[in-house]
Amino acid sequence: MKTTNPGPSAAPAYISPDLAARTTASTVELDGTKVAFWTYDPQETGPDTRTILVIHGFRGDHHGLLRVADHLPDMRIIMPDLPGFGSSGPFDSGPHSVQRYGQFITDFMAALDLGPDTVLLGHSFGSIIAAHFVAEHPTAVTPLILINPIAAPALEGPKGIMTRLAVLYYRLAARLPRPLGLALLRSPLIVRVMSEAMAKTGDRNLRRFIHGQHHAYFSAFANRDSLLESFTASVSSHVAEVAARLALPVLLIAGEKDEIATLPDQHRLLALLPDAELRVIPGVGHLIHYETPGPAATYIRSFLKDHPA
């Protein structure tokens, strides 16, 4: 395992210098795959300090959750780039499926000696991975926090048509000659359209920051095959299908204007979970981690106080 400290210059706009001072960048090799991860140590430890393992969403990497980590200075937060994304290599063998990512969590926790008092947090596609992992390993972590959880099948309902178009987009990009396929996947215009559609804030500076983040990191994937496999996994599974098996306390943090993980679906998911609470942040969509990290962190801290290790 290799570890470095990136120093204060690693902090981008909208991230406080305090977070850079808490940051250690590391790598670990798991089953032939080099995995990059970042640890954000607490400024001060106390009785409420917990270790939170964060699983990011599709086509994202650890950068997306930095603002949430910044608002939790009393927590130890560990954020890997999922295999196939960011600075992590793709899986050396096997498809980039929900089940394979679940095995990754098992291996990663073992490598870092993370015990059952670890909190697991998943955002968007990460919520699917986290929920399915807990369903298969009910005593591995406690509790579970899902931000913008994918609560219903992506191929059904009003958003099904757009999802099918996205499926065609990723399949086409995977079949085209490599330069053309990568150009399509990394098209600045397509990335910007996606970013504009998801951002709900009226703050021009914050919108500029969000678009800059997507431009910088949305195309940091290992290769077209792993990306297509991950996308297929993201639209083929959802949290509700394993909800009844999630017996541990679960916190759902949803955006009022989320068009990907809609609010009605969040309420239906809540009804399926044995022990859960739903917190809705007004005026925000699928980018809670960028637009409203403060309220999200407040809900997380309160939830963890109610559910101590």
Side-chain angles (χ1 to χ4, degrees):
M1 185 183 300
K2 297 181 179 179
T3 299
T4 59
N5 194 314
S9 62
Y14 278 93
I15 308 295
S16 77
D18 291 338
L19 185 65
R22 297 168 51 201
T23 304
T24 301
S26 309
T27 60
V28 62
E29 186 166 317
L30 301 174
D31 195 23
T33 297
K34 178 184 175 183
V35 175
F37 68 96
W38 287 257
T39 302
Y40 306 89
D41 289 314
Q43 288 179 334
E44 294 184 7
T45 58
D48 295 325
T49 298
R50 300 289 298 275
T51 294
I52 305 175
L53 174 58
V54 176
I55 307 299
H56 65 74
F58 176 70
R59 285 191 72 161
D61 62 15
H62 75 283
H63 290 93
L65 279 297
L66 285 182
R67 297 200 73 203
V68 176
D70 200 13
H71 282 79
L72 293 168
D74 50 337
M75 302 294 170
R76 177 183 181 233
I77 300 172
I78 300 174
M79 301 201 298
D81 283 352
L82 288 175
F85 297 99
S87 297
S88 293
F91 288 128
D92 189 54
S93 61
H96 292 71
S97 62
V98 172
Q99 291 73 24
R100 185 66 182 85
Y101 279 120
Q103 182 60 50
F104 159 74
I105 295 178
T106 296
D107 296 343
F108 185 78
M109 290 185 65
L112 272 64
D113 196 25
L114 299 178
D117 58 339
T118 303
V119 179
L120 185 60
L121 184 154
H123 170 256
S124 191
F125 177 43
S127 73
I128 301 174
I129 296 171
H132 281 252
F133 169 78
V134 172
E136 294 297 325
H137 305 87
T139 62
V141 297
T142 188
L144 176 64
I145 299 171
L146 305 178
I147 300 178
N148 295 118
I150 305 302
L155 294 169
E156 298 178 7
K159 59 182 180 291
I161 294 176
M162 294 303 297
T163 301
R164 286 180 172 81
L165 289 175
V167 170
L168 293 175
Y169 165 74
Y170 282 103
R171 287 179 177 171
L172 175 63
R175 292 173 181 172
L176 286 171
R178 185 174 183 275
L180 291 176
L182 289 176
L184 180 61
L185 289 169
R186 291 173 171 154
S187 165
L189 176 60
I190 293 177
V191 172
R192 182 57 179 265
V193 168
M194 174 279 305
S195 189
E196 289 282 2
M198 289 197 294
K200 303 303 180 186
T201 179
D203 184 323
R204 291 184 179 181
N205 289 330
L206 181 54
R207 290 185 74 92
R208 189 177 299 115
F209 169 73
I210 292 169
H211 300 330
Q213 291 280 293
H214 285 144
H215 177 75
Y217 306 118
F218 199 67
S219 296
F221 51 85
N223 56 60
R224 294 181 296 164
D225 290 338
S226 64
L227 185 66
L228 176 59
E229 290 173 353
S230 297
F231 175 74
T232 301
S234 74
V235 299
S236 301
S237 298
H238 53 92
V239 176
E241 62 190 350
V242 295
R245 297 164 60 191
L246 304 179
L248 77 177
V250 180
L251 172 63
L252 309 176
I253 304 179
E256 177 194 25
K257 296 183 177 181
D258 195 335
E259 296 164 344
I260 296 174
T262 65
L263 196 53
D265 286 340
Q266 304 303 320
H267 284 286
R268 283 189 282 270
L269 173 60
L270 178 66
L272 296 173
L273 291 162
D275 181 7
E277 58 186 77
L278 170 64
R279 301 298 182 193
V280 179
I281 302 179
V284 68
H286 204 63
L287 302 181
I288 285 174
H289 54 311
Y290 280 135
E291 296 187 28
T292 56
T298 297
Y299 289 138
I300 290 169
R301 186 177 292 106
S302 175
F303 181 70
L304 294 181
K305 285 185 176 180
D306 291 339
H307 303 282

